[in-house]
Amino acid sequence: MITNQVLLLLMLSILWPTIALPFAPGNIGNLFGMPESDGKILQRSKRGWMWNQFFLLEEYTGNDHQYVGKLHSNMDKGDGNVKYILTGDGAGTLFLIDEKSGDIHATKRLDREEKAMYTLHAKVLDRNTNVELEPDTEFNIKIHDINDNAPKFAKEIYFASVPEMSEVGTSVVTVTATDADDQTYGNSAKLVYSILQGQPYFSVDSENGTIKTALPGMDREVKENYQVVIQAKDMAGQMGGLSGTTTVSITLSDVNDSPPRFANHSFRVTAVESTVIGAAIGRIKADDPDVGRNAEMEYTIVGGHDIFNIITDQITQEGVIIIKKPLDYETKRDYEFRVEVKNTYLDARFIHGLQFKDYATVKVTVEDVDEPPVFTRNPYIIEVHEDTAAGSFVGVVSARDPDADNKPVKYSIDRHTDLERLFNIDSVNGTITTLKALDRETSKWHNISVVATEINNPRQTTRVPVFIKVLDVNDNAPEFAMSYDTFVCENVKAGQLIQTISAVDTDEPLVGHKFVFSISPTNPNFTIDDREDNTANILTRRGGFSRREMSMYLLPVVISDNDYPIQSSTSTLIVRSCNPEVLPFSDGLTTGALVAILLCVIILLMIVVLFAALRRQRKKEPLIISKEDVRDNVVSYNDEGGGEEDTQAFDIGTLRNPEVMDANKLRRDIIPEMLFPFRRTSPIKDNTDVRDFINGRLQENDSDPTAPPYDSLATYAYEGTGSLAESLSSLESAATEGDQEYDYLSNWGPQFKKLAEMVAGGLEPIPAYPAPIGREARYTLDRPPVYRRRCFIYCDGVQRKK
């Protein structure tokens, strides 16, 4: 190994012309940045280092410190007064300097891959005064590289794939290695790639490490996985260089280059005849060395088949044979058909020259099973006429054993479907007969179940529905469609219609019903008019019916149909006599109609009552609608005495219609608040004229200073229209009572006898108690005096008579 001293001498010999050139005569000043002189002696103000960069080999293996270089200053006269100081990267630890001589040594072995260059600073001081003799100067120590690092790959194992049957030179994957040595110095980091394992299938590019296919027609079905070892060597692959390896696992991916093939071109399948439709009876399989989508296959029956079909199981890629129609061992026992298989996905690169389909023959053998009986029809529909006698023939059902043995069969009726036990069946020949007579009017259809059972194997049974339709026979006579309530009035005339009748028949003839109505031609009271539309009118033959003579008539009506055999019946129509004043409903009104009318009337009355109740709760409409004519208060006076003192706010609706009053109405009045105390005058004495009293009270109220200043309305309730004899009060009499004549009272009857005597004696009729203000005394024949209210309205301080 070349020692450091030898390398140092070698470097000096190489670099000496460059180093010595500045020191030649005339070039020393240029080294330190001094201008050229003209022969004059110049003084340097600043010195320069002899070297500003040192070189040091990495990985020093000597026992002593490795010499780096020497620092020397022109200020050093060799007398020991100069001291050298070193600072910067690694100063004092990695690098030491001799203060007197300026020699620099490395204390440790250095690794370029850790740090390739160190920057340091040198100072020159006076040893005695520590004064800097020169400014701080920077220099570098560069570590020279040696080939001490082998190439390394990022992964120990790489995984890659390439399609099978790829052409030569198809790129598979690129693997690269790295070298920590210096890329710019020598060949320590220059790598060369080579393949150590994997030939002749693959090759590698020596410069970039790209692996490529090297052999044509590599078949995945022959060999799928390959292990390739790649080496990277530095020093440009020369001897003595370092190397590293990696393994690449290469898999050939599948392409559809292999068609499906049947290993056996003949298959045999066995199926029992009782296999249900849609069930699988067997599977066949073709082989395809491809995988995934390239191995997906489709099976079909060449030309199709009526009994069988084949589908593909997408998981197992098998052909599944299924049943399309029932199998019958007795009819056909062997089937044969051809199946085709092919890939669903094809690669255009490989279909040329290859048949990507294959064929196989499938033989199916049907096995016999013990089957239940089979009916010739399902279901059975049988027709039978009603009124057929018990034991009559209805129909026949037939079943047989489908097996080759053709075992005997017996028949029975499921009694759960014939609870009334109307039918019976012969257990040997399947003949159905009636046990009872059938009535179409009771039931038009009978649905029973007939069971066929093998005699030798009772577990083999089959049931079939039998629908028995009962045909109509004209065995019912027509009759009234309803119960009629017929009336004939006493004042009825001959030929008058009193009732329209119709008929019904439970039979159903093919051409429809046609009824004929008739009564005895000798009937003196009524006759019938057949309208030929299955209705008839009952008419009176005479007039002058008398309820006292006969209140009810029985009218026999004969109704016949037109079917064969003709059926007829006699229905009795009850005709009642009635008084037209008692029974205003004379024409065709039945009891039901009268009840309906009565219910309607009751409902209408209830609606009216409800409407009236709602009207009572509704707010009264004001008497004066206009906003400009407003009455502040309405004052009412009590019915029986009290005068104006007994007042309440009155519902003004009474004034609008004084002829009508609801006596039971609850008044929602408001008692007016009086501004001044009410002053009452003593009652009038007996025998005082009422009109004078009223006028006096009117004047008194007008001149009363305590009267309310606001407008008010005093109303008196209306108490009826009075007696038929009209008013006897002096309010409506002549001007003077002397003009009155009461002689006519004696003609009114005993009720006015006492009154006539009083008038004849010169006495005035005085009521039992004086009439209140504003009331007019009236006498009636059967009750005490009643009073008709008079109304006064105060408007703007003026009292007006209403």
Side-chain angles (χ1 to χ4, degrees):
M1 185 175 179
I2 302 175
T3 61
N4 292 335
Q5 291 80 1
V6 176
L7 290 175
L8 180 60
L9 293 175
L10 180 61
M11 292 176 60
L12 288 175
S13 62
I14 296 174
L15 298 175
W16 176 250
T18 305
I19 297 173
L21 183 61
F23 296 95
N27 292 335
I28 297 177
N30 293 333
L31 177 64
F32 302 106
M34 298 173 58
E36 297 183 2
S37 62
D38 299 332
K40 298 179 180 180
I41 299 175
L42 300 176
Q43 299 292 330
R44 291 177 52 210
S45 60
K46 180 179 180 181
R47 72 169 297 278
W49 300 106
M50 295 177 63
W51 297 329
N52 60 356
Q53 183 166 306
F54 297 94
F55 295 91
L56 185 65
L57 292 177
E58 65 172 338
E59 304 295 343
Y60 172 70
T61 58
N63 295 326
D64 298 332
H65 291 173
Q66 185 179 5
Y67 181 75
V68 177
K70 183 180 181 66
L71 297 181
H72 181 75
S73 173
N74 292 338
M75 303 299 293
D76 187 1
K77 304 300 183 180
D79 54 4
N81 292 328
V82 175
K83 181 173 66 175
Y84 294 94
I85 303 297
L86 188 64
T87 61
D89 294 340
T93 56
L94 293 179
F95 303 102
L96 297 178
I97 188 170
D98 189 333
E99 294 182 354
K100 294 181 179 182
S101 63
D103 293 330
I104 302 173
H105 291 82
T107 61
K108 297 180 181 179
R109 184 174 61 181
L110 302 179
D111 188 0
R112 191 202 65 83
E113 285 70 36
E114 292 182 2
K115 192 174 180 67
M117 181 180 294
Y118 296 87
T119 301
L120 295 98
H121 296 267
K123 293 182 180 181
V124 180
L125 303 178
D126 187 288
R127 184 178 295 275
N128 298 322
T129 62
N130 286 331
V131 175
E132 291 187 6
L133 300 179
E134 292 190 12
D136 185 357
T137 302
E138 178 182 285
F139 67 97
N140 299 324
I141 298 178
K142 185 176 181 181
I143 309 302
H144 270 200
D145 182 46
I146 64 173
N147 189 20
D148 59 343
N149 291 279
K152 292 183 179 180
F153 288 93
K155 298 179 181 179
E156 293 183 0
I157 300 178
Y158 289 84
F159 296 93
S161 65
V162 63
E164 63 175 333
M165 298 297 176
S166 297
E167 297 179 358
V168 176
T170 302
S171 176
V172 180
V173 66
T174 298
V175 293
T176 57
T178 58
D179 195 327
D181 293 327
D182 192 358
Q183 302 285 340
T184 62
Y185 180 74
N187 294 326
S188 298
K190 186 175 182 179
L191 305 181
V192 174
Y193 297 93
S194 62
I195 183 167
L196 301 181
Q197 179 183 333
Q199 295 175 336
Y201 306 104
F202 299 96
S203 64
V204 64
D205 191 314
S206 61
E207 294 183 359
N208 56 27
T210 301
I211 301 174
K212 301 179 181 179
T213 59
L215 191 66
M218 286 190 294
D219 192 354
R220 186 199 66 84
E221 288 74 28
V222 176
K223 186 176 180 180
E224 183 176 4
N225 297 313
Y226 296 86
Q227 299 293 328
V228 179
V229 178
I230 303 296
Q231 180 190 67
K233 189 175 182 180
D234 60 11
M235 297 298 293
Q238 298 178 5
M239 293 183 61
L242 304 178
S243 65
T245 60
T246 187
T247 301
V248 181
S249 178
I250 300 177
T251 301
L252 297 182
S253 60
D254 185 57
V255 296
N256 192 11
D257 59 339
S258 300
R261 291 289 183 262
F262 285 108
N264 186 3
H265 288 79
S266 179
F267 295 88
R268 184 173 294 276
V269 179
T270 302
V272 296
E273 61 175 337
S274 59
T275 304
V276 297
I277 296 176
I281 62 173
R283 291 171 175 253
I284 61 176
K285 180 73 167 64
D287 297 326
D288 191 336
D290 295 324
V291 294
R293 183 180 66 166
N294 298 321
E296 294 179 357
M297 293 174 283
E298 180 182 10
Y299 298 86
T300 56
I301 297 178
V302 178
H305 203 280
D306 295 337
I307 307 299
F308 304 99
N309 189 19
I310 188 169
I311 60 176
T312 304
D313 188 332
Q314 298 299 330
I315 299 176
T316 63
Q317 295 300 316
E318 294 177 317
V320 182
I321 302 173
I322 60 175
I323 300 295
K324 291 174 59 177
K325 292 183 179 181
L327 301 176
D328 188 5
Y329 173 82
E330 290 71 27
T331 303
K332 189 172 183 179
R333 303 179 182 182
D334 296 299
Y335 296 90
E336 182 177 331
F337 51 87
R338 195 179 184 199
V339 175
E340 177 189 82
V341 62
K342 62 181 179 180
N343 285 131
T344 58
Y345 168 76
L346 298 178
D347 193 332
R349 296 176 299 174
F350 306 103
I351 60 177
H352 301 290
L354 288 178
Q355 186 73 15
F356 273 81
K357 61 180 64 177
D358 199 7
Y359 299 91
T361 301
V362 178
K363 297 180 180 180
V364 180
T365 301
V366 181
E367 294 182 349
D368 186 27
V369 295
D370 190 6
E371 299 177 276
V374 177
F375 284 93
T376 57
R377 286 189 293 169
N378 188 5
Y380 285 87
I381 300 177
I382 303 175
E383 295 181 349
V384 60
H385 286 86
E386 65 175 332
D387 296 335
T388 302
S392 300
F393 174 80
V394 176
V396 177
V397 297
S398 177
R400 66 175 184 86
D401 182 9
D403 297 323
D405 298 339
N406 195 14
K407 299 174 183 178
V409 176
K410 66 176 181 179
Y411 303 93
S412 63
I413 294 178
D414 185 354
R415 290 304 175 183
H416 292 90
T417 61
D418 185 24
L419 297 177
E420 299 179 359
R421 301 185 68 86
L422 299 176
F423 303 97
N424 190 24
I425 189 170
D426 190 303
S427 62
V428 177
N429 57 25
T431 301
I432 301 175
T433 57
T434 58
L435 291 176
K436 299 178 182 179
L438 304 179
D439 186 5
R440 190 200 65 84
E441 286 70 36
T442 302
S443 179
K444 299 180 181 179
W445 287 89
H446 296 278
N447 304 332
I448 63 174
S449 292
V450 175
V451 181
T453 307
E454 289 185 10
I455 296 179
N456 296 336
N457 188 3
R459 291 179 299 179
Q460 296 295 340
T461 61
T462 304
R463 61 179 59 235
V464 66
V466 179
F467 303 111
I468 301 175
K469 181 179 181 181
V470 182
L471 301 178
D472 184 41
V473 174
N474 192 25
D475 57 347
N476 293 279
E479 57 186 11
F480 279 155
M482 58 181 295
S483 178
Y484 296 100
D485 291 333
T486 307
F487 296 88
V488 58
C489 296
E490 295 181 348
N491 58 352
V492 72
K493 298 179 181 180
Q496 185 170 339
L497 174 66
I498 62 173
Q499 185 68 59
T500 298
I501 61 175
S502 62
V504 293
D505 192 342
T506 56
D507 295 323
E508 292 183 356
L510 297 177
V511 296
H513 291 292
K514 178 63 178 178
F515 301 127
V516 177
F517 301 87
S518 64
I519 61 175
S520 175
T522 60
N523 192 307
N525 300 315
F526 306 99
T527 184
I528 191 169
D529 179 18
D530 193 341
R531 301 174 61 181
E532 296 184 356
D533 59 354
N534 294 335
T535 62
N537 293 331
I538 305 298
L539 308 174
T540 57
R541 188 183 292 272
R542 63 180 179 85
F545 289 87
S546 175
R547 186 179 182 186
R548 295 182 179 180
E549 294 179 1
M550 181 173 291
S551 61
M552 183 174 61
Y553 298 89
L554 300 179
L555 180 61
V557 179
V558 178
I559 308 174
S560 304
D561 58 21
N562 64 335
D563 204 357
Y564 180 82
I566 295 176
Q567 300 286 342
S568 64
S569 66
T570 301
S571 300
T572 301
L573 182 66
I574 300 176
V575 182
R576 295 182 176 87
S577 299
C578 66
N579 190 333
E581 296 180 357
V582 178
L583 184 63
F585 308 101
S586 60
D587 189 9
L589 287 180
T590 63
T591 303
L594 294 176
V595 172
I597 293 173
L598 182 59
L599 289 175
C600 293
V601 173
I602 293 174
I603 292 174
L604 289 176
L605 290 177
M606 292 176 64
I607 294 174
V608 171
V609 172
L610 180 61
F611 181 78
L614 294 176
R615 286 290 299 271
R616 289 184 187 144
Q617 296 180 1
R618 189 178 301 173
K619 186 176 180 181
K620 296 293 183 179
E621 184 180 0
L623 177 63
I624 302 174
I625 300 178
S626 175
K627 295 183 180 179
E628 299 178 356
D629 188 7
V630 178
R631 306 303 173 93
D632 293 341
N633 195 8
V634 178
V635 181
S636 64
Y637 295 88
N638 197 5
D639 294 341
E640 302 295 340
E644 294 181 356
E645 183 181 8
D646 188 9
T647 61
Q648 287 183 337
F650 184 70
D651 189 351
I652 201 169
T654 307
L655 295 178
R656 289 195 167 187
N657 190 5
E659 297 298 327
V660 178
M661 182 185 72
D662 189 358
N664 298 325
K665 193 174 190 180
L666 297 178
R667 302 193 308 185
R668 297 171 293 177
D669 302 334
I670 301 176
I671 301 176
E673 183 179 358
M674 303 300 295
L675 299 179
F676 298 97
F678 184 76
R679 183 171 57 84
R680 181 174 180 176
T681 309
S682 60
I684 188 171
K685 296 181 180 181
D686 297 339
N687 301 328
T688 303
D689 188 81
V690 177
R691 186 179 298 275
D692 294 339
F693 177 77
I694 292 176
N695 292 332
R697 294 290 290 171
L698 179 60
Q699 294 176 2
E700 182 181 349
N701 284 316
D702 290 339
S703 60
D704 188 2
T706 62
Y710 50 84
D711 295 340
S712 63
L713 173 64
T715 180
Y716 300 89
Y718 181 72
E719 295 187 354
T721 58
S723 174
L724 294 175
E726 296 183 353
S727 176
L728 299 180
S729 172
S730 60
L731 293 177
E732 294 182 0
S733 303
T736 62
E737 295 187 4
D739 298 336
Q740 298 284 347
E741 293 183 1
Y742 304 100
D743 295 339
Y744 57 87
L745 295 177
S746 59
N747 298 327
W748 286 4
Q751 293 90 339
F752 287 87
K753 180 179 180 182
K754 184 64 176 176
L755 182 60
E757 293 177 355
M758 294 175 62
V759 173
L763 298 177
E764 292 185 42
I766 299 175
Y769 44 87
I773 299 175
R775 296 178 186 170
E776 192 175 355
R778 288 182 180 274
Y779 291 89
T780 60
L781 300 179
D782 53 356
R783 60 174 179 164
V786 295
Y787 300 94
R788 183 174 64 186
R789 291 191 172 186
R790 306 293 295 268
C791 300
F792 297 92
I793 301 178
Y794 292 86
C795 300
D796 302 329
V798 180
Q799 188 180 35
R800 295 181 176 88
K801 184 176 180 181
K802 181 67 177 176

